[in-house]
Amino acid sequence: MTLLALETSCDETSAAVVRDGAVLANVVASQIKLHAEYGGVVPELAAREHLRNLIPVVTAALAEAGVSVAQLGAVAATQGPGLPGALMIGFKAAQAMAFVLGKPFLGVHHHEAHLYSPWISPDAASGRADFGNFQPNVSLIVSGGHTMLVLVEAELKHRVLGETVDDAAGECFDKTGKLIGLPYPAGPVIDRLAEQGNPKAYDFPRPLLHDANDDFSFSGLKTSVRYFVRDNPGILDDNQKIRDLCASVQAAIVEVLVAKTIRAAKRNGVHCVTASGGVICNRALRAQLAAACAKARLTLRLAENKFSTDNAAMIGILAERKLLAGKPPTSLEAEIALNWALA
Ligand code: KG4
Ligand code: ZN
């Protein structure tokens, strides 16, 4: 079956064509530049930009895949969670397409799709997902909007172990960047600056590191950066000190994410850790997760960067798995689900 998937939950307009577990096309129009001057995503602008980008992105994905609309066997879209105006554009467009084509429609949970993006990566040449090697796993989803640990007991069977009680880790990167004058989104910039900085230069808190739960908290860390910059204003005039500050904040975020992920995997008796979400592009996080998993004898599957950030391929891959598992399609009258909890 050939499936078209749309993702418009935040600031990426994406369309993908998926067939038999292979990603034939995954086109993403990023709105980063549009929102950069405001220092964060402006919901109204995001929705308008999705309206502008959606048809060109769908057209490009179909052309890249060499597939015509008439060949589609199903249409899927992100149903939630996400920004209301943004979600509505892709969700309603996909429902309309399914209606006109007389094909099944699938509304997909954005975070559930992230759980499956690490399985897309292994065969980069064909983009074929590797569900043949699927193992129960603890999955870390870490982006600008979310930070959570999920136990995936079997395909399509999962339980949230813990999540952030305040800011997401990506938000902590971005707000730290704002405090020291870096452009939005600051995560990738901090990643680069930290490379030449000393992660032990300054001591920042590791929130909830030793708590016996799987929750995260990053707003206190952001506040301690604010006080640190206020009390050491000269730091911003010294490029090396800025690099040291970036490395030190990054080290605090990465240590908490890695330690809590490994602990959750061990406690739940799984032998595999997976991870996705924009922050998984962070090179220190990727390296330290790899080292910690090797030490704990855990298999690690990291989503490729292009499947870590928001993309429609993961929506299509999960929609196809659901259809194959005999799950019923979503009603064409269904609405978006803004705060849809991942059970
Ligand atoms: O998944 P994503 O594209 O969008 C959502 O937030 O849903 O993630 C974007 C987040 C931003 O906070 C961005 O700063 C962060 O991912 N990010 C990074 C890196 N690349 C993206 N954070 C740290 N290091 C990176 N290399
Ligand atoms: Zn996401």
Side-chain angles (χ1 to χ4, degrees), residues 5 7 9 12 14-19 21-28 61 64 78 109-131 139-143 274-282 286 301-318:
E7 150 66 35
S9 66
E12 328 277 359
S14 180
V17 179
V18 165
R19 182 190 291 151
V23 179
L24 305 185
N26 180 47
V27 177
V28 181
E64 194 181 317
T78 307
H109 192 293
H110 181 84
H111 299 148
E112 189 179 3
H114 268 300
L115 296 176
Y116 295 92
S117 55
W119 301 92
I120 306 177
S121 47
D123 185 356
S126 73
R128 190 170 289 280
D130 186 24
F131 288 106
S139 195
L140 172 67
I141 303 175
V142 60
S143 71
T274 70
S276 72
V279 178
I280 288 298
C281 299
N282 184 272
R286 292 179 86 87
R301 297 188 70 112
L302 293 172
E304 274 184 29
N305 283 0
K306 67 179 174 200
F307 299 130
S308 271
T309 50
D310 287 345
N311 66 89
M314 66 181 188
I315 304 297
I317 287 287
L318 174 57

Side-chain angles (χ1 to χ4, degrees), residues 95 109 145 184 186 225:
Q95 278 178 323
H109 192 293
Y184 171 87
V225 176

